[in-house]
Amino acid sequence: MRYVVAVAETGSFTRAAERCLVVQSALSHQIARLERELGARLFERTSRRVRLTPAGTAFLPAARQCLDAAGRAAAEVAAAVGEVRGRLTVGLIPSVAAVDIPGALRDFHRLHPEVRIGLRVGASEELAEQVRQGAVDVAFLGLPTSSAPPRGVHARELARDRLVAVVAPDHALAGGPAVGLRRLSREVFVDLPAGTAGRVQSDQAFTAAGLVRDVAFEVTNADFLARLVGQGLGIALLPAAYARRLAGVTTVEVTNGPVRVEYAVWSRAGHTPASRAFFGLLGIPAGPGDAAGERPGAGPDAAAAPDDPGAPGTAGAPGAAVGRA
């Protein structure tokens, strides 16, 4: 089954053999033997490519589940005798600020060198799905306050942070007082792709205020977004705790600006020994998290006039304590 998964993921018998550290003939022989036992071909082979047959497509999810279960069983046995082994695949959005993931991975590797660590960076929606599918063990996401925790996973709220305007140092707003959404709507924006959680929180805020903004630049990387802003090509809205880390730009408070919630999420099947140890290192409770739709205080912030400096709103919480449910 491990060979089948490797071929499916690499699209090549040669690359799969290299990944599995076997000669290609041995890998091909074992897959052919499995196909005879199943009575169906799992791959269509041509001189140019390899792809799954309908039978292979049906077989692949179960094969992955079996391999994951075998790995989990071995890890649990090791944990029973005081060792942490197996794998730890962490997913995160680029702008996560509630936890120091690089530092935590460094410390975790020193404490548990037998664990194979992997890292995936992407959008919140993609990472939540990868946790559901078992491809990622734990992930750190950012969602608008109007969104419930992701469904199909355990989720624990870590922190809330109000978005600030990020502008070039020589921008007219730089160094000035807090501004409202109406003033910002006259600017050109750099933002994440439409429909992503990082974009939705800003889009919803402007729509609720009856405003339209011009997003001229769409990028998938928050650091590149900041580079465009630094060149004066537009402005952006980013969480305050993350924006403070960026070089070459400055931040301006936004009156009643949108708020982001950061979550740690993990599988409904529970923690592996490695992910449980990782949460322990971060100080995050490893018990069941928030159920989707049951997070206290869920829902959009109260509406307020976009340019009213005294309008009430949810206060940002940069650096909020990790592990707060």
Side-chain angles (χ1 to χ4, degrees), residues 223-284:
D223 287 334
F224 187 67
L225 179 152
R227 290 174 62 187
L228 294 177
V229 170
Q231 295 299 318
L233 294 171
I235 70 170
L237 288 177
L238 290 172
Y242 174 74
R244 286 195 295 267
R245 305 175 181 175
L246 300 173
V249 295
T250 189
T251 62
V252 182
E253 294 294 324
V254 179
T255 304
N256 202 42
V259 175
R260 183 182 76 170
V261 185
E262 287 192 27
Y263 290 97
V265 302
W266 64 100
S267 172
R268 285 285 188 184
H271 280 292
T272 65
S275 67
R276 188 181 302 113
F278 187 61
F279 267 35
L281 180 65
L282 291 170
I284 302 175

Short mmCIF file of all heavy atoms in Angstrom, two decimals, residues 223-284:
data_model
loop_
_atom_site.label_atom_id
_atom_site.label_comp_id
_atom_site.label_asym_id
_atom_site.label_seq_id
_atom_site.Cartn_x
_atom_site.Cartn_y
_atom_site.Cartn_z
N ASP A 223 4.12 38.04 2.83
CA ASP A 223 5.39 38.78 2.78
C ASP A 223 5.52 39.54 1.46
O ASP A 223 5.99 40.69 1.43
CB ASP A 223 6.57 37.84 2.95
CG ASP A 223 6.70 37.34 4.39
OD1 ASP A 223 6.25 38.06 5.30
OD2 ASP A 223 7.26 36.25 4.59
N PHE A 224 5.13 38.91 0.35
CA PHE A 224 5.18 39.59 -0.94
C PHE A 224 4.17 40.74 -0.97
O PHE A 224 4.43 41.80 -1.56
CB PHE A 224 4.91 38.61 -2.08
CG PHE A 224 5.12 39.21 -3.45
CD1 PHE A 224 6.39 39.56 -3.87
CD2 PHE A 224 4.05 39.42 -4.31
CE1 PHE A 224 6.60 40.12 -5.13
CE2 PHE A 224 4.26 39.97 -5.57
CZ PHE A 224 5.53 40.31 -5.98
N LEU A 225 3.03 40.52 -0.33
CA LEU A 225 2.04 41.58 -0.19
C LEU A 225 2.68 42.81 0.45
O LEU A 225 2.52 43.95 -0.02
CB LEU A 225 0.86 41.08 0.64
CG LEU A 225 -0.30 42.00 0.96
CD1 LEU A 225 -1.59 41.19 1.15
CD2 LEU A 225 -0.05 42.83 2.21
N ALA A 226 3.45 42.59 1.52
CA ALA A 226 4.10 43.71 2.21
C ALA A 226 5.14 44.39 1.32
O ALA A 226 5.32 45.61 1.39
CB ALA A 226 4.75 43.21 3.50
N ARG A 227 5.81 43.62 0.48
CA ARG A 227 6.80 44.21 -0.42
C ARG A 227 6.13 45.14 -1.43
O ARG A 227 6.67 46.22 -1.74
CB ARG A 227 7.56 43.11 -1.14
CG ARG A 227 8.50 42.32 -0.22
CD ARG A 227 9.12 41.15 -0.94
NE ARG A 227 9.94 41.57 -2.06
CZ ARG A 227 10.49 40.73 -2.94
NH1 ARG A 227 10.29 39.41 -2.80
NH2 ARG A 227 11.23 41.17 -3.92
N LEU A 228 4.97 44.76 -1.93
CA LEU A 228 4.24 45.63 -2.85
C LEU A 228 3.79 46.91 -2.14
O LEU A 228 3.87 48.00 -2.70
CB LEU A 228 3.04 44.90 -3.43
CG LEU A 228 3.33 43.71 -4.34
CD1 LEU A 228 2.04 43.04 -4.78
CD2 LEU A 228 4.12 44.16 -5.57
N VAL A 229 3.32 46.75 -0.90
CA VAL A 229 2.92 47.92 -0.13
C VAL A 229 4.11 48.84 0.09
O VAL A 229 4.01 50.07 -0.04
CB VAL A 229 2.30 47.49 1.22
CG1 VAL A 229 2.10 48.70 2.13
CG2 VAL A 229 0.97 46.79 0.99
N GLY A 230 5.26 48.27 0.42
CA GLY A 230 6.45 49.07 0.67
C GLY A 230 6.90 49.87 -0.54
O GLY A 230 7.55 50.91 -0.39
N GLN A 231 6.54 49.39 -1.73
CA GLN A 231 6.88 50.11 -2.96
C GLN A 231 5.84 51.17 -3.32
O GLN A 231 5.96 51.82 -4.36
CB GLN A 231 7.03 49.13 -4.12
CG GLN A 231 8.18 48.16 -3.98
CD GLN A 231 9.53 48.87 -3.90
OE1 GLN A 231 9.78 49.82 -4.65
NE2 GLN A 231 10.38 48.42 -2.99
N GLY A 232 4.85 51.33 -2.46
CA GLY A 232 3.85 52.37 -2.70
C GLY A 232 2.80 52.01 -3.73
O GLY A 232 2.08 52.88 -4.23
N LEU A 233 2.66 50.71 -4.04
CA LEU A 233 1.68 50.30 -5.05
C LEU A 233 0.27 50.16 -4.49
O LEU A 233 -0.69 50.05 -5.25
CB LEU A 233 2.12 48.97 -5.67
CG LEU A 233 3.41 49.04 -6.49
CD1 LEU A 233 3.87 47.65 -6.88
CD2 LEU A 233 3.19 49.90 -7.73
N GLY A 234 0.13 50.16 -3.20
CA GLY A 234 -1.18 50.04 -2.58
C GLY A 234 -1.02 49.93 -1.08
O GLY A 234 0.09 49.99 -0.55
N ILE A 235 -2.14 49.78 -0.39
CA ILE A 235 -2.12 49.57 1.06
C ILE A 235 -2.78 48.22 1.34
O ILE A 235 -3.36 47.60 0.44
CB ILE A 235 -2.86 50.69 1.82
CG1 ILE A 235 -4.37 50.61 1.58
CG2 ILE A 235 -2.32 52.06 1.41
CD1 ILE A 235 -5.17 51.53 2.49
N ALA A 236 -2.69 47.76 2.57
CA ALA A 236 -3.26 46.47 2.93
C ALA A 236 -3.83 46.52 4.34
O ALA A 236 -3.53 47.44 5.11
CB ALA A 236 -2.21 45.37 2.84
N LEU A 237 -4.66 45.55 4.66
CA LEU A 237 -5.15 45.35 6.02
C LEU A 237 -4.62 44.02 6.51
O LEU A 237 -4.87 42.97 5.90
CB LEU A 237 -6.69 45.35 6.06
CG LEU A 237 -7.39 46.69 5.83
CD1 LEU A 237 -8.90 46.49 5.84
CD2 LEU A 237 -7.00 47.70 6.90
N LEU A 238 -3.88 44.05 7.62
CA LEU A 238 -3.29 42.84 8.17
C LEU A 238 -3.42 42.86 9.69
O LEU A 238 -3.52 43.93 10.30
CB LEU A 238 -1.80 42.75 7.80
CG LEU A 238 -1.47 42.49 6.32
CD1 LEU A 238 0.02 42.63 6.09
CD2 LEU A 238 -1.96 41.12 5.89
N PRO A 239 -3.41 41.68 10.32
CA PRO A 239 -3.48 41.63 11.79
C PRO A 239 -2.33 42.41 12.41
O PRO A 239 -1.18 42.31 11.96
CB PRO A 239 -3.40 40.14 12.10
CG PRO A 239 -3.87 39.46 10.85
CD PRO A 239 -3.41 40.33 9.73
N ALA A 240 -2.62 43.15 13.47
CA ALA A 240 -1.62 44.03 14.08
C ALA A 240 -0.39 43.27 14.55
O ALA A 240 0.75 43.70 14.35
CB ALA A 240 -2.25 44.80 15.23
N ALA A 241 -0.58 42.12 15.21
CA ALA A 241 0.55 41.37 15.76
C ALA A 241 1.49 40.89 14.66
O ALA A 241 2.71 40.83 14.85
CB ALA A 241 0.06 40.19 16.59
N TYR A 242 0.94 40.55 13.51
CA TYR A 242 1.77 40.12 12.39
C TYR A 242 2.39 41.32 11.68
O TYR A 242 3.57 41.30 11.30
CB TYR A 242 0.94 39.31 11.40
CG TYR A 242 1.68 38.96 10.14
CD1 TYR A 242 2.66 37.98 10.14
CD2 TYR A 242 1.40 39.61 8.93
CE1 TYR A 242 3.36 37.65 8.99
CE2 TYR A 242 2.09 39.29 7.78
CZ TYR A 242 3.07 38.32 7.81
OH TYR A 242 3.76 38.00 6.66
N ALA A 243 1.61 42.38 11.49
CA ALA A 243 2.10 43.55 10.75
C ALA A 243 3.31 44.18 11.41
O ALA A 243 4.19 44.73 10.74
CB ALA A 243 0.97 44.57 10.61
N ARG A 244 3.40 44.09 12.74
CA ARG A 244 4.52 44.69 13.45
C ARG A 244 5.85 44.02 13.09
O ARG A 244 6.92 44.60 13.31
CB ARG A 244 4.30 44.60 14.96
CG ARG A 244 3.27 45.58 15.50
CD ARG A 244 3.38 45.69 17.01
NE ARG A 244 3.05 44.45 17.70
CZ ARG A 244 1.84 44.14 18.15
NH1 ARG A 244 0.84 45.00 17.97
NH2 ARG A 244 1.61 43.01 18.76
N ARG A 245 5.80 42.81 12.56
CA ARG A 245 7.03 42.08 12.22
C ARG A 245 7.57 42.46 10.85
O ARG A 245 8.70 42.10 10.51
CB ARG A 245 6.77 40.58 12.23
CG ARG A 245 6.18 40.03 13.51
CD ARG A 245 5.86 38.56 13.33
NE ARG A 245 5.26 37.97 14.51
CZ ARG A 245 4.81 36.73 14.58
NH1 ARG A 245 4.92 35.94 13.51
NH2 ARG A 245 4.27 36.26 15.68
N LEU A 246 6.78 43.15 10.03
CA LEU A 246 7.14 43.40 8.65
C LEU A 246 8.11 44.57 8.53
O LEU A 246 7.96 45.58 9.22
CB LEU A 246 5.88 43.68 7.82
CG LEU A 246 4.86 42.54 7.78
CD1 LEU A 246 3.58 43.00 7.09
CD2 LEU A 246 5.44 41.32 7.08
N ALA A 247 9.08 44.42 7.64
CA ALA A 247 10.06 45.48 7.41
C ALA A 247 9.66 46.32 6.20
O ALA A 247 9.00 45.84 5.28
CB ALA A 247 11.44 44.87 7.19
N GLY A 248 10.03 47.58 6.22
CA GLY A 248 9.81 48.45 5.07
C GLY A 248 8.42 49.03 4.95
O GLY A 248 8.10 49.66 3.94
N VAL A 249 7.57 48.82 5.97
CA VAL A 249 6.21 49.38 5.95
C VAL A 249 5.91 49.94 7.33
O VAL A 249 6.64 49.70 8.29
CB VAL A 249 5.16 48.32 5.57
CG1 VAL A 249 5.36 47.83 4.15
CG2 VAL A 249 5.20 47.15 6.55
N THR A 250 4.83 50.67 7.44
CA THR A 250 4.38 51.18 8.73
C THR A 250 2.89 50.90 8.87
O THR A 250 2.20 50.61 7.88
CB THR A 250 4.65 52.69 8.85
OG1 THR A 250 4.39 53.12 10.19
CG2 THR A 250 3.81 53.48 7.86
N THR A 251 2.38 50.95 10.09
CA THR A 251 0.99 50.61 10.34
C THR A 251 0.22 51.81 10.87
O THR A 251 0.79 52.70 11.51
CB THR A 251 0.87 49.45 11.34
OG1 THR A 251 1.43 49.85 12.60
CG2 THR A 251 1.60 48.21 10.83
N VAL A 252 -1.07 51.80 10.60
CA VAL A 252 -1.99 52.84 11.05
C VAL A 252 -3.22 52.15 11.63
O VAL A 252 -3.78 51.24 11.01
CB VAL A 252 -2.41 53.77 9.89
CG1 VAL A 252 -3.33 54.88 10.41
CG2 VAL A 252 -1.20 54.35 9.18
N GLU A 253 -3.62 52.55 12.83
CA GLU A 253 -4.81 51.98 13.45
C GLU A 253 -6.05 52.29 12.60
O GLU A 253 -6.15 53.34 11.98
CB GLU A 253 -5.00 52.53 14.86
CG GLU A 253 -3.93 52.12 15.85
CD GLU A 253 -3.93 50.62 16.11
OE1 GLU A 253 -5.03 50.03 16.15
OE2 GLU A 253 -2.84 50.05 16.28
N VAL A 254 -6.99 51.33 12.60
CA VAL A 254 -8.23 51.48 11.84
C VAL A 254 -9.40 51.54 12.80
O VAL A 254 -9.58 50.63 13.62
CB VAL A 254 -8.42 50.32 10.84
CG1 VAL A 254 -9.74 50.48 10.08
CG2 VAL A 254 -7.24 50.26 9.87
N THR A 255 -10.17 52.60 12.73
CA THR A 255 -11.33 52.76 13.59
C THR A 255 -12.35 51.65 13.31
O THR A 255 -12.80 51.50 12.17
CB THR A 255 -11.99 54.13 13.37
OG1 THR A 255 -11.01 55.15 13.57
CG2 THR A 255 -13.16 54.33 14.31
N ASN A 256 -12.68 50.87 14.35
CA ASN A 256 -13.66 49.81 14.21
C ASN A 256 -13.32 48.86 13.06
O ASN A 256 -14.18 48.41 12.31
CB ASN A 256 -15.07 50.38 14.03
CG ASN A 256 -16.14 49.36 14.41
OD1 ASN A 256 -16.00 48.66 15.40
ND2 ASN A 256 -17.19 49.29 13.63
N GLY A 257 -12.04 48.56 12.91
CA GLY A 257 -11.62 47.68 11.83
C GLY A 257 -12.01 46.24 12.08
O GLY A 257 -12.40 45.86 13.19
N PRO A 258 -11.89 45.39 11.06
CA PRO A 258 -12.24 43.98 11.22
C PRO A 258 -11.30 43.27 12.18
O PRO A 258 -10.17 43.71 12.42
CB PRO A 258 -12.12 43.42 9.80
CG PRO A 258 -11.22 44.38 9.09
CD PRO A 258 -11.46 45.72 9.70
N VAL A 259 -11.77 42.16 12.74
CA VAL A 259 -11.02 41.39 13.72
C VAL A 259 -10.82 39.96 13.21
O VAL A 259 -11.73 39.38 12.63
CB VAL A 259 -11.73 41.36 15.09
CG1 VAL A 259 -11.00 40.46 16.08
CG2 VAL A 259 -11.85 42.78 15.64
N ARG A 260 -9.62 39.43 13.43
CA ARG A 260 -9.34 38.05 13.05
C ARG A 260 -9.21 37.18 14.29
O ARG A 260 -8.67 37.61 15.31
CB ARG A 260 -8.04 37.96 12.25
CG ARG A 260 -7.75 36.55 11.76
CD ARG A 260 -6.46 36.47 11.01
NE ARG A 260 -5.29 36.49 11.89
CZ ARG A 260 -4.06 36.24 11.46
NH1 ARG A 260 -3.84 35.99 10.18
NH2 ARG A 260 -3.04 36.27 12.31
N VAL A 261 -9.70 35.93 14.18
CA VAL A 261 -9.55 34.95 15.25
C VAL A 261 -8.57 33.88 14.77
O VAL A 261 -8.72 33.34 13.68
CB VAL A 261 -10.90 34.29 15.61
CG1 VAL A 261 -10.74 33.36 16.80
CG2 VAL A 261 -11.95 35.35 15.89
N GLU A 262 -7.57 33.59 15.59
CA GLU A 262 -6.64 32.51 15.27
C GLU A 262 -7.04 31.25 16.04
O GLU A 262 -7.38 31.31 17.22
CB GLU A 262 -5.20 32.90 15.63
CG GLU A 262 -4.62 33.92 14.68
CD GLU A 262 -3.11 34.09 14.84
OE1 GLU A 262 -2.45 33.12 15.28
OE2 GLU A 262 -2.61 35.18 14.53
N TYR A 263 -6.99 30.12 15.33
CA TYR A 263 -7.37 28.83 15.89
C TYR A 263 -6.23 27.84 15.74
O TYR A 263 -5.47 27.88 14.76
CB TYR A 263 -8.58 28.24 15.17
CG TYR A 263 -9.88 28.94 15.40
CD1 TYR A 263 -10.35 29.88 14.48
CD2 TYR A 263 -10.68 28.65 16.51
CE1 TYR A 263 -11.57 30.52 14.67
CE2 TYR A 263 -11.88 29.28 16.70
CZ TYR A 263 -12.32 30.21 15.78
OH TYR A 263 -13.53 30.84 15.98
N ALA A 264 -6.14 26.91 16.68
CA ALA A 264 -5.40 25.67 16.48
C ALA A 264 -6.43 24.59 16.22
O ALA A 264 -7.44 24.50 16.93
CB ALA A 264 -4.58 25.32 17.72
N VAL A 265 -6.24 23.77 15.19
CA VAL A 265 -7.19 22.71 14.86
C VAL A 265 -6.45 21.39 14.74
O VAL A 265 -5.27 21.33 14.39
CB VAL A 265 -7.97 23.01 13.56
CG1 VAL A 265 -8.72 24.33 13.67
CG2 VAL A 265 -7.04 23.05 12.35
N TRP A 266 -7.17 20.30 15.06
CA TRP A 266 -6.61 18.96 14.94
C TRP A 266 -7.74 17.98 14.66
O TRP A 266 -8.92 18.33 14.72
CB TRP A 266 -5.82 18.58 16.18
CG TRP A 266 -6.58 18.45 17.46
CD1 TRP A 266 -7.03 17.31 18.05
CD2 TRP A 266 -7.00 19.53 18.33
NE1 TRP A 266 -7.68 17.60 19.22
CE2 TRP A 266 -7.68 18.94 19.42
CE3 TRP A 266 -6.86 20.92 18.30
CZ2 TRP A 266 -8.22 19.71 20.47
CZ3 TRP A 266 -7.40 21.68 19.33
CH2 TRP A 266 -8.07 21.07 20.40
N SER A 267 -7.39 16.76 14.36
CA SER A 267 -8.34 15.77 13.86
C SER A 267 -9.39 15.39 14.90
O SER A 267 -9.11 15.35 16.11
CB SER A 267 -7.60 14.50 13.42
OG SER A 267 -8.49 13.46 13.11
N ARG A 268 -10.59 15.08 14.42
CA ARG A 268 -11.64 14.55 15.28
C ARG A 268 -11.24 13.20 15.87
O ARG A 268 -11.78 12.78 16.90
CB ARG A 268 -12.94 14.40 14.49
CG ARG A 268 -13.65 15.70 14.20
CD ARG A 268 -14.33 16.22 15.44
NE ARG A 268 -15.18 17.37 15.16
CZ ARG A 268 -15.83 18.06 16.07
NH1 ARG A 268 -15.72 17.71 17.33
NH2 ARG A 268 -16.57 19.09 15.75
N ALA A 269 -10.31 12.52 15.21
CA ALA A 269 -9.85 11.21 15.71
C ALA A 269 -8.98 11.37 16.95
O ALA A 269 -8.67 10.39 17.63
CB ALA A 269 -9.07 10.47 14.63
N GLY A 270 -8.59 12.60 17.26
CA GLY A 270 -7.77 12.84 18.44
C GLY A 270 -6.32 13.08 18.09
O GLY A 270 -5.92 13.01 16.93
N HIS A 271 -5.53 13.37 19.09
CA HIS A 271 -4.12 13.66 18.89
C HIS A 271 -3.31 12.39 18.71
O HIS A 271 -3.62 11.34 19.28
CB HIS A 271 -3.56 14.41 20.10
CG HIS A 271 -3.86 15.87 20.09
ND1 HIS A 271 -3.31 16.75 19.18
CD2 HIS A 271 -4.66 16.63 20.89
CE1 HIS A 271 -3.74 17.97 19.43
NE2 HIS A 271 -4.57 17.92 20.45
N THR A 272 -2.26 12.48 17.92
CA THR A 272 -1.21 11.47 17.93
C THR A 272 -0.29 11.80 19.10
O THR A 272 -0.32 12.91 19.64
CB THR A 272 -0.41 11.51 16.62
OG1 THR A 272 0.28 12.77 16.53
CG2 THR A 272 -1.33 11.34 15.41
N PRO A 273 0.56 10.86 19.51
CA PRO A 273 1.51 11.20 20.58
C PRO A 273 2.37 12.42 20.24
O PRO A 273 2.66 13.24 21.11
CB PRO A 273 2.35 9.93 20.70
CG PRO A 273 1.42 8.83 20.30
CD PRO A 273 0.60 9.42 19.19
N ALA A 274 2.76 12.54 18.95
CA ALA A 274 3.60 13.68 18.56
C ALA A 274 2.84 14.99 18.63
O ALA A 274 3.35 15.99 19.14
CB ALA A 274 4.15 13.45 17.16
N SER A 275 1.60 15.02 18.12
CA SER A 275 0.85 16.27 18.16
C SER A 275 0.47 16.64 19.59
O SER A 275 0.42 17.83 19.95
CB SER A 275 -0.39 16.17 17.27
OG SER A 275 -1.33 15.23 17.78
N ARG A 276 0.22 15.63 20.43
CA ARG A 276 -0.09 15.91 21.84
C ARG A 276 1.13 16.55 22.52
O ARG A 276 1.00 17.51 23.28
CB ARG A 276 -0.48 14.62 22.54
CG ARG A 276 -1.01 14.84 23.97
CD ARG A 276 -1.37 13.52 24.63
NE ARG A 276 -2.37 12.78 23.86
CZ ARG A 276 -2.12 11.63 23.24
NH1 ARG A 276 -0.93 11.07 23.32
NH2 ARG A 276 -3.07 11.02 22.56
N ALA A 277 2.31 16.02 22.22
CA ALA A 277 3.53 16.58 22.80
C ALA A 277 3.79 17.99 22.27
O ALA A 277 4.27 18.87 23.01
CB ALA A 277 4.72 15.67 22.49
N PHE A 278 3.48 18.22 21.02
CA PHE A 278 3.68 19.55 20.43
C PHE A 278 2.76 20.58 21.08
O PHE A 278 3.19 21.69 21.41
CB PHE A 278 3.43 19.49 18.92
CG PHE A 278 3.78 20.75 18.18
CD1 PHE A 278 5.08 21.24 18.19
CD2 PHE A 278 2.82 21.45 17.48
CE1 PHE A 278 5.42 22.41 17.51
CE2 PHE A 278 3.14 22.61 16.80
CZ PHE A 278 4.44 23.09 16.81
N PHE A 279 1.50 20.20 21.29
CA PHE A 279 0.59 21.10 21.97
C PHE A 279 1.05 21.37 23.40
O PHE A 279 0.93 22.48 23.91
CB PHE A 279 -0.83 20.51 21.98
CG PHE A 279 -1.67 20.97 20.82
CD1 PHE A 279 -1.11 21.18 19.58
CD2 PHE A 279 -3.03 21.17 20.98
CE1 PHE A 279 -1.88 21.60 18.51
CE2 PHE A 279 -3.82 21.59 19.91
CZ PHE A 279 -3.24 21.80 18.67
N GLY A 280 1.58 20.33 24.06
CA GLY A 280 2.09 20.53 25.40
C GLY A 280 3.24 21.52 25.43
O GLY A 280 3.33 22.36 26.34
N LEU A 281 4.11 21.45 24.43
CA LEU A 281 5.22 22.39 24.34
C LEU A 281 4.72 23.82 24.17
O LEU A 281 5.31 24.77 24.72
CB LEU A 281 6.12 21.99 23.17
CG LEU A 281 7.35 22.86 22.91
CD1 LEU A 281 8.34 22.75 24.07
CD2 LEU A 281 8.03 22.44 21.61
N LEU A 282 3.64 23.99 23.41
CA LEU A 282 3.08 25.31 23.17
C LEU A 282 2.19 25.80 24.31
O LEU A 282 1.78 26.96 24.32
CB LEU A 282 2.26 25.30 21.87
CG LEU A 282 3.05 25.15 20.56
CD1 LEU A 282 2.10 24.92 19.40
CD2 LEU A 282 3.91 26.38 20.31
N GLY A 283 1.86 24.90 25.24
CA GLY A 283 0.97 25.29 26.32
C GLY A 283 -0.49 25.34 25.91
O GLY A 283 -1.30 26.01 26.55
N ILE A 284 -0.85 24.62 24.86
CA ILE A 284 -2.23 24.57 24.38
C ILE A 284 -2.90 23.32 24.94
O ILE A 284 -2.38 22.21 24.76
CB ILE A 284 -2.29 24.54 22.85
CG1 ILE A 284 -1.59 25.75 22.26
CG2 ILE A 284 -3.74 24.48 22.37
CD1 ILE A 284 -1.51 25.72 20.74
#
